[in-house]
């Protein structure tokens, strides 16, 4: 399955958002997620199935003004 | 005291955390500024670099109240999703709401801003909106649930100060009881002092300190300027006048003759 991960093409066979995050090494990381433009809470990642062409955002704290 | 959404602060300077030469310089500048509120953002996290993980440790060490922003968002929808991600990441209902209209000016899209402010307020957020000096937008934001407003002084990063003074004075007079924070465009300590003298409750800035030759010294300079401006406002400024008015007593002036007075 091909998804768009943080704006870049990415191939994965992860079934859920939670699985994708874990495979990326983010299981314990300070991150937040969105799928197709909508926020997905950490507690909902396991129940969020991934589909071809999904647009996934994984973000973390950064400097800001 | 500055009170925003029920929380009181001694410092009236809110500080951004971006563009410092080093993490240590950021830490020292925050300390020198006396700021109790710092702004942060969220950005895409790379599985390889994991940049955000280290930054979070630094922010926790600062011990300040964290104000996440929605910088770069172009639509209400983007800003709402970003605010929700920020709330989960930073564990705060506070959001510095930015919906940007234009790349050259980074000016707020007031229509998207009001839409997002209403939606987020309804979701329990406490919205600190980055807006302009526009009165009707300000009224809509207050109606949407904002109990404070953050009008720009000048475009973000421009260092031009308060480029629309009269409108900012009007906004201050129109909302005497709502905390108003000048956010963006402050370039010098005198700009910050001017905003405070006008009765603004606080200033929020980043670039003027972060990009200064010595950010730590500049942070101290801004802290003094904000305090001086606030004291001056509380003391009550005199009215300007067109003609001179002698400060030294006229009575008893040596060599005084009555025809000198005409």
């Amino acid at each position: 399955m091909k998804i768009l991960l943080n704006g870049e093409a990415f191939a994965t066979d992860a079934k859920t958002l939670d699985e994708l995050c874990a495979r990326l090494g983010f299981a314990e990381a300070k991150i937040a997620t969105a799928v197709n433009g909508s926020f997905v809470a950490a507690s909902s990642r396991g129940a969020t199935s991934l589909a071809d062409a999904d647009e996934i955002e994984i973000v973390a704290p950064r400097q800001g003004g | 005291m500055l009170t925003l959404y029920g929380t009181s602060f001694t410092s009236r300077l809110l500080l951004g955390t971006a563009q410092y030469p080093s993490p240590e310089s950021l830490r020292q500048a925050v300390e020198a500024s006396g700021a109790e509120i710092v702004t942060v953002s969220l950005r895409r996290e790379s599985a390889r670099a994991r940049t955000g993980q280290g930054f979070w440790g630094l922010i926790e060490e600062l011990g300040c109240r964290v104000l996440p922003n929605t910088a770069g968002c172009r639509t209400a929808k983007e800003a709402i999703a970003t605010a929700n991600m920020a709330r989960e990441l930073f564990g705060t209902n506070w959001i510095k709401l930015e919906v940007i209209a234009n790349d050259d000016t980074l000016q707020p899209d007031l229509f998207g801003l009001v839409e997002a402010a209403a939606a987020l307020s309804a979701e329990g957020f406490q919205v600190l909106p980055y807006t302009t000096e526009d009165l009707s937008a300000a009224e809509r934001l207050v109606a949407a649930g904002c109990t404070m407003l953050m009008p720009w002084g000048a475009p973000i990063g421009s260092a031009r100060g308060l480029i629309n003074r009269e409108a900012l004075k009007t906004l201050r007079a129109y909302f005497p009881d709502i905390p108003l924070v000048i956010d963006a465009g402050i370039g010098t300590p005198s700009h910050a002092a001017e905003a405070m003298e006008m009765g603004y409750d606080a200033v929020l800035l980043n670039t003027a300190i972060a990009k200064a030759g010595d950010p730590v010294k500049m942070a101290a300079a801004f802290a003094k300027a904000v305090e001086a401006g606030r004291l001056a406002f509380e003391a009550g400024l005199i009215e300007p006048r067109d003609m001179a008015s002698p400060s030294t007593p006229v009575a008893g002036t040596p060599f005084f003759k009555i025809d000198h007075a005409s």
Side-chain angles (χ1 to χ4, degrees), chain A residues 5-8 24-34 36-43 45 56-65, chain B residues 15-19 26 39-47 50-53 55-56 69 77 81 84-86 88-90 96 98 204 206:
Chain A
L5 174 61
N6 283 347
E8 291 179 10
L24 291 167
F26 289 141
E28 305 297 324
K30 188 104 184 143
I31 56 158
T33 51
N36 298 325
S38 297
F39 168 64
V40 177
S43 56
R45 285 178 204 148
I56 315 292
E57 298 285 342
I58 300 179
V59 300
R62 203 63 52 85
Q63 294 85 344
Chain B
L15 197 54
T17 57
Q19 300 181 295
L26 163 62
T39 57
V40 293
S41 73
L42 37 81
R43 287 291 178 262
R44 287 170 166 169
E45 184 76 331
S46 146
R50 299 174 68 88
T51 313
Q53 308 307 309
F55 178 67
W56 177 241
N69 69 28
K77 184 171 192 258
N84 274 282
M85 290 193 284
E88 186 179 83
L89 257 190
F90 296 107
K96 180 188 166 187
E98 299 183 33
L204 194 168
N206 187 345

Side-chain angles (χ1 to χ4, degrees), chain B residues 43-101:
Chain B
R43 287 291 178 262
R44 287 170 166 169
E45 184 76 331
S46 146
R48 214 165 292 153
R50 299 174 68 88
T51 313
Q53 308 307 309
F55 178 67
W56 177 241
L58 173 63
I59 286 300
E60 281 188 308
E61 282 173 25
L62 295 176
C64 291
R65 171 119 195 182
V66 171
L67 172 57
N69 69 28
T70 63
C73 289
R74 293 312 176 111
T75 63
K77 184 171 192 258
E78 285 177 16
I80 291 164
T82 302
N84 274 282
M85 290 193 284
R87 175 157 70 175
E88 186 179 83
L89 257 190
F90 296 107
T92 175
N93 285 328
W94 278 25
I95 191 73
K96 180 188 166 187
L97 184 61
E98 299 183 33
V99 182
I100 298 299

